[in-house]
Amino acid sequence: MSTSEPPPPWPHCAHGADPAADPVGCRGIHVPGHTVCLAHLADDDRDAYLAALTPGASIDHRGTNFTESLLNTFLNALRDPETGHPRLGHAKFELATFEGAASFESVTFEDCALFESATFKGDNALFDRATFKGQAGFSQATFKGQAGFSQATFEDSALFGEATFEVGSAGFGSATFEAATFESRAEFGLTTFEGIALFDSATFEGDAGFLMAIFKDIARFISATFQGDALFMDATFKSNTWFNSATFNGDAWFESTTFVAADQLGPLVCAGRVVLSGAAFGGPVTFSFAARRLECRRTRWSSTAEIRLRYATVDFAHAVFEYPLTIAAEPDPFVLTNGRQLAEDPFPNPRDPRVRVASLRGVDAAHLVLSDLDLSRCLFAGTVHLDQLRLEGACTFDTAPPAVWWRWPPVRFAERRVLAEEHHWRASQPGAVQGWNVAVLGAGRAGPLQLAPLYRALRKAFEDGKHEPGAADFYYGEMEMRRHADDIPRSERGLLTAYWALSGYGLRASRALAWLGAAMLLTIVLLMAVGIAHDTPKQTATGTVPADGGKVTFEIDKGDPQNPTGNRFTGERFEKALNVTLNSVVFRSSGQDLTTAGTYIEMTSRLTEPVLLGLAVLAVRNRVKR
């Protein structure tokens, strides 16, 4: 023992003290009525002390060195004849040392059980089926072999902070809490598990804290139940980590946690949030979560990853991944290894397992694949390489308000895919109509200048995926943002406005056809009014016959068309005007006799109406092209 260690704060045995090597000696507390600890008490005095103990007695053996036989003799003295198991009251074992196997199986601790800084040197420290009715304190305790707490019940706080579970001399060791019940707070912060950590079927009825814990071997929480929050912040999992069929009724916090070799997380159910923000994954991993929300802000993946979700809203802002990563919605409940479906009791509406993405801000989307996700509220501003994003399955976006708003001027928005940021921008504009979603707190501000490149990148992503109708919607959005941007010249804005008004940027066939119909109707009316001649001019031949005969020369001429008079809107004139108009649409001359005004009307019609027809055809093609 180091001479630098101070003596304990209780009257201690001091057996074996050496002023040079160990001036403190044995740290065991005095047995009541004696000046030595239980380990160094004379045999007769020890027998008398143990004989005076009764089940449920409070005991204090801090700093005492227990051999296996001494511990067994001690516990036998406290055995309850009704149950056949030892029963202790307030038990103090701080700084105690257990040399051999320490068996506290089926022991009942009626009050606090304090093992802080205790050392279990044997191959087994067994608390299986033990009951802790008061606080169970194992902070800074050291288990050098297997530690067993299977089916133990902790009715008050269980504190294992900074405890160490080592691998024994035989090369193996484990911390076993299978089917244990923690009825209050369970604290394993700063705990080191050098061997296997087994929490299968354990129940944590209060918060479970594993802050900065280190799992050097397998960590298993199969079928574990966390009624409160599960706190694994800054923990380290160096081997496989299993949470298969685990249930979290609160939040599951894995913030800044390191998973060195975990290949899967789940399937698990979380009624609250699964927080993986700042976590790091060193190898290929698969997530299978049925959760309310998944937060992966600044999470880092160093290999491939697949995230399969149900019900969740995903926040992926500023996540970093160097290899392909897939986020997909799972249509059916997850299937466990035993072939049974994962129970989803926290979710009352299994008919709506949609997965929503809240944010992809700051993400490099070059390796990102999204499948069957709801992107209607997703924030894309700041996403890098968005044009390389792969969208598979039924990925849905928000749409523009569908109704017509009867005001002056009337407003009707074309039905199309719309980004959440455009909703926020339009809702913030003066005189905005209802139906545009207001930005939530923290969504930031993005205007037309920022939105135009987003629409352009998503259009390219849809085009690369051979989804032309979807690409057309994002082209429309891009043009809308260009038209509303502040950095374009007035002439360009006017041209874009005309392009939008005439044909919806070449994407709205109905708008182009409506303008074409109006132009044709106007052409017909003008032709009937002033364009069609009153009568068809007749040809006249004029010539001179020589007196002595010979060759006669005639000049054939045709009179100028006369402006109409009288009733101009007759069936005959309508038929002629319609013929001229239809020929103008296909850029042909009708051959009708027209007045000077009619000639100019026809020229204008042959210039504008084929353009409108072409825009309508282009719009139809953009909608049906594959």
Side-chain angles (χ1 to χ4, degrees):
M1 193 72 66
S2 173
T3 58
S4 63
E5 293 188 12
W10 52 77
H12 61 287
C13 176
H15 183 273
D18 184 342
D22 183 10
V24 177
C26 176
R27 285 166 166 72
I29 192 171
H30 293 171
V31 174
H34 300 276
T35 59
V36 293
C37 69
L38 183 63
H40 297 111
L41 195 64
D43 291 344
D44 292 341
D45 292 335
R46 183 187 301 121
D47 293 340
Y49 168 73
L50 295 177
L53 294 177
T54 59
S58 295
I59 54 94
D60 184 355
H61 290 291
R62 290 172 286 178
T64 303
N65 192 327
F66 284 89
T67 63
E68 183 175 348
S69 59
L70 176 59
L71 178 62
N72 291 338
T73 302
F74 172 73
L75 292 177
N76 282 332
L78 295 166
R79 194 174 299 276
D80 190 336
E82 294 184 3
T83 62
H85 303 300
R87 181 163 57 87
L88 284 69
H90 192 96
K92 295 182 179 181
F93 291 96
E94 294 104 310
L95 276 175
T97 300
F98 299 89
E99 295 289 347
S103 178
F104 289 86
E105 293 181 282
S106 301
V107 172
T108 298
F109 296 89
E110 297 284 353
D111 205 327
C112 295
L114 305 179
F115 291 83
E116 282 93 343
S117 300
T119 301
F120 297 84
K121 293 184 177 181
D123 291 335
N124 295 291
L126 304 179
F127 291 82
D128 299 340
R129 298 177 299 281
T131 301
F132 299 84
K133 294 187 176 181
Q135 184 183 89
F138 289 85
S139 300
Q140 297 183 338
T142 300
F143 298 84
K144 293 185 176 293
Q146 179 178 347
F149 290 83
S150 297
Q151 301 182 44
T153 300
F154 298 84
E155 297 184 3
D156 204 328
S157 300
L159 308 179
F160 287 81
E162 300 184 64
T164 300
F165 296 85
E166 298 181 358
V167 176
S169 59
F172 66 91
S174 64
T176 305
F177 292 85
E178 293 177 295
T181 300
F182 300 84
E183 296 184 2
S184 186
R185 181 170 60 99
E187 180 57 61
F188 290 86
L190 290 170
T191 301
T192 299
F193 299 88
E194 295 190 358
I196 300 174
L198 303 178
F199 289 85
D200 298 350
S201 302
T203 300
F204 298 86
E205 297 185 2
D207 291 346
F210 291 84
L211 283 72
M212 300 179 71
I214 299 176
F215 299 83
K216 294 186 177 181
D217 207 326
I218 294 173
R220 288 194 354 188
F221 292 83
I222 298 175
S223 299
T225 300
F226 298 84
Q227 299 288 1
D229 291 342
L231 311 176
F232 289 86
M233 288 89 84
D234 294 293
T236 300
F237 295 88
K238 294 188 176 182
S239 186
N240 287 334
T241 307
W242 295 335
F243 284 87
N244 303 39
S245 67
T247 300
F248 297 84
N249 288 324
D251 294 337
W253 288 84
F254 294 90
E255 189 171 11
S256 299
T257 300
T258 300
F259 298 87
V260 177
D263 59 356
Q264 65 175 358
L265 283 180
L268 60 82
V269 175
C270 182
R273 294 178 295 166
V274 178
V275 182
L276 288 167
S277 298
F281 293 86
V285 63
T286 300
F287 297 169
S288 302
F289 297 161
R292 295 285 184 193
R293 186 175 179 86
L294 173 62
E295 295 184 7
C296 294
R297 290 174 172 266
R298 303 176 306 282
T299 306
R300 177 179 293 273
W301 285 268
S302 297
S303 188
T304 57
E306 182 179 13
I307 303 174
R308 307 200 68 83
L309 303 169
R310 286 172 59 79
Y311 307 101
T313 297
V314 185
D315 186 350
F316 238 65
H318 306 288
V320 178
F321 38 91
E322 304 168 9
Y323 295 88
L325 185 145
T326 300
I327 307 175
E330 189 72 17
D332 300 313
F334 296 109
V335 178
L336 304 174
T337 54
N338 58 10
R340 302 172 67 178
Q341 287 186 339
L342 178 66
E344 298 178 344
D345 298 335
F347 301 97
N349 186 15
R351 297 184 179 180
D352 185 22
R354 287 184 300 168
V355 177
R356 303 163 179 84
V357 180
S359 177
L360 290 176
R361 285 184 165 183
V363 170
D364 187 340
H367 300 291
L368 183 60
V369 180
L370 305 180
S371 178
D372 299 316
L373 302 181
D374 182 353
L375 302 174
S376 59
R377 298 294 185 269
C378 183
L379 302 178
F380 288 96
T383 306
V384 182
H385 294 143
L386 190 56
D387 58 322
Q388 299 179 39
L389 174 68
R390 287 180 55 191
L391 299 172
E392 298 182 352
C395 288
T396 59
F397 291 82
D398 210 342
T399 58
V404 178
W405 299 92
W406 297 106
R407 65 179 194 182
W408 187 254
V411 177
R412 179 184 182 277
F413 295 98
E415 184 178 352
R416 61 183 174 90
R417 296 171 177 86
V418 176
L419 297 183
E421 285 96 338
E422 183 179 348
H423 266 271
H424 303 163
W425 171 72
R426 289 190 182 273
S428 67
Q429 299 304 296
V433 301
Q434 296 180 3
W436 294 109
N437 299 322
V438 179
V440 297
L441 182 65
R445 291 186 178 183
L449 286 175
Q450 293 78 30
L451 291 176
L454 295 182
Y455 276 113
R456 188 180 305 117
L458 285 171
R459 171 175 61 85
K460 185 178 183 302
F462 270 74
E463 289 174 346
D464 292 343
K466 307 303 180 184
H467 192 330
E468 295 297 336
D473 279 349
F474 289 111
Y475 173 73
Y476 192 103
E478 176 190 354
M479 299 299 287
E480 276 287 272
M481 295 303 101
R482 286 181 56 192
R483 183 167 69 92
H484 288 93
D486 297 328
D487 65 337
I488 64 172
R490 183 176 300 179
S491 58
E492 182 179 347
R493 179 178 284 108
L495 183 62
L496 290 174
T497 301
Y499 192 22
W500 162 76
L502 290 176
S503 64
Y505 307 113
L507 296 172
R508 298 295 179 259
S510 58
R511 193 177 304 179
L513 290 175
W515 280 109
L516 176 61
M520 292 175 64
L521 179 61
L522 179 62
T523 301
I524 291 173
V525 171
L526 292 176
L527 287 174
M528 292 177 65
V530 297
I532 302 296
H534 180 68
D535 289 313
T536 301
K538 296 181 180 180
Q539 293 180 341
T540 58
T542 305
T544 302
V545 179
D548 56 353
K551 183 177 180 180
V552 179
T553 300
F554 291 93
E555 292 183 0
I556 300 176
D557 194 8
K558 186 176 183 179
D560 295 331
Q562 300 297 314
N563 290 326
T565 58
N567 186 9
R568 305 180 185 189
F569 297 95
T570 63
E572 180 182 359
R573 292 179 62 80
F574 172 76
E575 183 177 355
K576 291 180 179 181
L578 179 61
N579 184 38
V580 173
T581 303
L582 292 177
N583 279 281
S584 297
V585 171
V586 294
F587 207 73
R588 291 177 54 189
S589 176
S590 64
Q592 291 283 351
D593 293 310
L594 303 176
T595 63
T596 301
T599 301
Y600 286 106
I601 293 172
E602 183 186 35
M603 291 171 59
T604 304
S605 175
R606 290 178 64 185
L607 177 64
T608 58
E609 292 170 5
V611 172
L612 294 173
L613 178 62
L615 291 174
V617 173
L618 177 64
V620 172
R621 178 182 177 275
N622 286 333
R623 282 301 176 185
V624 301
K625 180 182 177 182
R626 286 293 187 271

